[in-house]
Amino acid sequence: MAHNLAQCRVLVQKAVRAGAKALFLPEASDYIAASADETVRLVRGVHDSEFVLGLRDEARRARLPIHVGVHEPGCRDDGLRRVRNTVLWIDDGGDIAHRYQKIHLFDVDIKDGPVLKESNSVEPGAEILPPFDTPLGKVASTICFDLRFPEIAIALRRQGADIITYPSAFTVPTGKAHWEILLRARAIETQSYVIAAAQVGRHNEKRVSYGHSIIVDPWGVVLADLGDSGAAEPEIATAEIDHDLLRKVRTEMPLNRRTDVYPEV
C-alpha cells in the first residue's frame, strides 16, 4: 500500500502540472490481493488507512479533488468477514465528501481464463447515489462490473449526471472483448461524459488488469486512451469537459424515453 500511495502521489503531481481540476484513480487503488483472505486481512478503515490518509494530505496540499477506489471494512452483521469495495471523492480540502459502494460484484469463471468470485470477500452495496457537484460538473459514481448494467447509468443521467465514472480493474479477456464498447455505449445512451480510470498490468500471480484508462465524450468519441503498456511510472490522460457539447448533444437529439410503454428504470 505504501508503494501504491507513492504511485498515486506521482499522478497527483502530473495532474497538477497538467492543470487538471480533478484526478480520477482506479478501483482498488490501495491494493489488489492474491486471495479473499488477504483482501480481508489488509483492509483498514479510512481513518486508519495509510493510503487514504496520504491521499487526503495530497488533495489538501495540491488543492486537487481526488476520486479513488479503495477497500473499507464490511459493516453487515451477517457472520461473514468481508470488505466493502468503495469509491471516495476527496475534496480539495482533504475531506471525504462522497462515498459509493459497488453494487454488482464480479463473480466469473472464464474458460482458459480467470476464475474470480468477488462475493467471497466483498459485501455488495444497496443503493445508487445521486450525482454530486464538482468543479467539472455533476459527477456520478459507479465501479467496474457496474458497467455491464445500463440501468444504473440511465438512472444517474435522469438525476442530472454530466459525468459517469467507472473506476475499474478489468481482466484482460473481458477487457479485450467488451471494455471500450461498453464505455462508449454508456456515454452514448446517457449523453454524458464517461471517465474510466483503470488498473493496468500484473498485480500478483493470479491477477493481471487490462488497462486502457479511457475518457469518452457524450457523442461516444474516445478522447483519451492510455493503452496497456504498463509504463515505468504511472500515467495520466486528460480531456476537456465541454458543457457546450453536453447541451448540444442533449438538445439536438433528445432521448425521450417511452415510459408509458416500458417501465422506467
Side-chain angles (χ1 to χ4, degrees):
M1 279 183 275
H3 169 78
N4 294 338
L5 176 59
Q7 297 280 79
C8 291
R9 284 182 166 136
V10 172
L11 293 171
V12 170
Q13 294 165 8
K14 289 187 173 186
V16 170
R17 288 198 297 269
K21 292 185 177 179
L23 173 63
F24 294 82
L25 298 172
E27 174 187 27
S29 288
D30 51 352
Y31 64 88
I32 291 183
S35 67
D37 287 344
E38 187 178 40
T39 295
V40 173
R41 180 163 44 83
L42 290 174
V43 72
R44 299 289 183 273
V46 294
H47 300 296
D48 300 313
S49 167
E50 173 190 356
F51 180 86
V52 174
L53 292 172
L55 275 190
R56 292 180 65 185
D57 285 342
E58 289 294 322
R60 187 182 306 112
R61 185 179 302 113
R63 304 303 299 176
L64 180 73
I66 299 173
H67 187 266
V68 58
V70 299
H71 300 84
E72 296 187 68
C75 59
R76 291 186 182 177
D77 186 17
D78 56 10
L80 301 175
R81 294 182 65 245
R82 295 190 291 180
V83 304
R84 290 176 290 159
N85 184 337
T86 65
V87 64
L88 309 175
W89 178 264
I90 303 172
D91 67 21
D92 63 4
D95 295 322
I96 297 172
H98 165 88
R99 172 190 280 103
Y100 165 75
Q101 183 178 347
K102 185 177 184 179
I103 292 174
H104 297 100
L105 303 184
F106 186 57
D107 287 357
V108 66
D109 184 349
I110 298 174
K111 184 179 180 181
D112 301 322
V115 177
L116 297 169
K117 196 169 178 62
E118 191 175 21
S119 60
N120 281 343
S121 60
V122 178
E123 181 182 290
E127 61 178 338
I128 299 171
L129 298 182
F132 56 98
D133 291 320
T134 77
L136 301 173
K138 287 189 174 293
V139 170
S141 297
T142 74
I143 299 174
C144 200
F145 199 55
D146 290 333
L147 174 59
R148 294 185 180 273
F149 303 88
E151 296 87 352
I152 300 180
I154 292 168
L156 292 169
R157 167 67 188 91
R158 194 172 63 248
Q159 294 178 45
D162 300 317
I163 301 163
I164 302 175
T165 68
Y166 293 96
S168 297
F170 248 58
T171 68
V172 173
T174 57
K176 287 180 177 178
H178 300 146
W179 175 245
E180 182 179 321
I181 296 169
L182 288 170
L183 290 167
R184 294 183 67 196
R186 296 296 87 84
I188 293 166
E189 70 199 5
T190 64
Q191 298 177 319
S192 302
Y193 280 91
V194 161
I195 298 177
Q199 298 267 8
V200 61
R202 181 167 294 281
H203 306 288
N204 50 55
E205 291 183 1
K206 297 180 179 179
R207 287 290 301 274
V208 181
S209 288
Y210 178 62
H212 289 272
S213 293
I214 285 179
I215 305 170
V216 187
D217 79 8
W219 196 243
V221 176
V222 175
L223 301 178
D225 181 344
L226 284 179
D228 61 357
S229 62
E233 67 174 30
E235 301 175 281
I236 63 166
T238 61
E240 179 184 356
I241 304 301
D242 184 345
H243 286 270
D244 289 335
L245 176 62
L246 266 174
R247 286 188 289 271
K248 181 177 186 293
V249 170
R250 293 173 177 182
T251 300
E252 293 182 355
M253 189 181 289
L255 300 180
N256 298 315
R257 290 187 162 80
R258 290 291 307 277
T259 54
D260 60 318
V261 177
Y262 49 81
E264 190 173 58
V265 297

